[in-house]
């Protein structure tokens, strides 16, 4: 679960940094939420025991890695 929590914290931090440093740009709130929400969802899911079991499956690991990398790329290119 530690890796999920680190990843969730990473996406939340990137989303908040994006919101702060792109203040004044059109659509910054939407772009920041696109980055922040997956991180917050993964972070919350890692603390709930029933969803933590789901996160430990190999399918969920692959999906979370793909979503995490895609979100980080979106943040970098945004």
């Amino acid at each position: 679960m530690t890796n999920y929590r680190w990843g969730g914290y990473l996406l939340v931090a990137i989303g908040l940094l994006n919101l702060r440093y792109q203040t004044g740009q059109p659509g910054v709130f939407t772009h920041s939420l696109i980055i922040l929400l997956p991180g917050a969802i993964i972070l919350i899911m890692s603390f709930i025991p029933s969803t933590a079991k789901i996160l430990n499956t190999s399918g969920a690991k692959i999906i979370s890695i793909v979503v995490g990398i895609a979100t980080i790329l979106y943040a970098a290119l945004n």
Side-chain angles (χ1 to χ4, degrees):
M1 283 299 99
T2 302
N3 291 335
Y4 283 112
R5 290 180 183 151
W6 278 96
Y9 286 130
L10 172 72
L11 293 177
V12 168
I14 291 173
L16 291 174
L17 287 170
N18 184 57
L19 182 65
R20 170 62 183 106
Y21 286 110
Q22 291 190 12
T23 302
Q25 298 292 327
V28 67
F29 190 70
T30 305
H31 294 299
S32 295
L33 280 180
I34 291 172
I35 300 166
L36 194 136
L37 282 179
I41 291 169
I42 289 173
L43 193 58
I44 291 168
M45 286 178 69
S46 71
F47 283 104
I48 300 171
S50 59
T51 58
K53 290 178 185 176
I54 295 170
L55 289 175
N56 280 327
T57 63
S58 62
K61 289 178 185 178
I62 292 169
I63 291 170
S64 64
I65 288 171
V66 170
V67 168
I69 290 173
T71 307
I72 292 170
L73 286 174
Y74 175 77
L77 298 175
N78 182 10

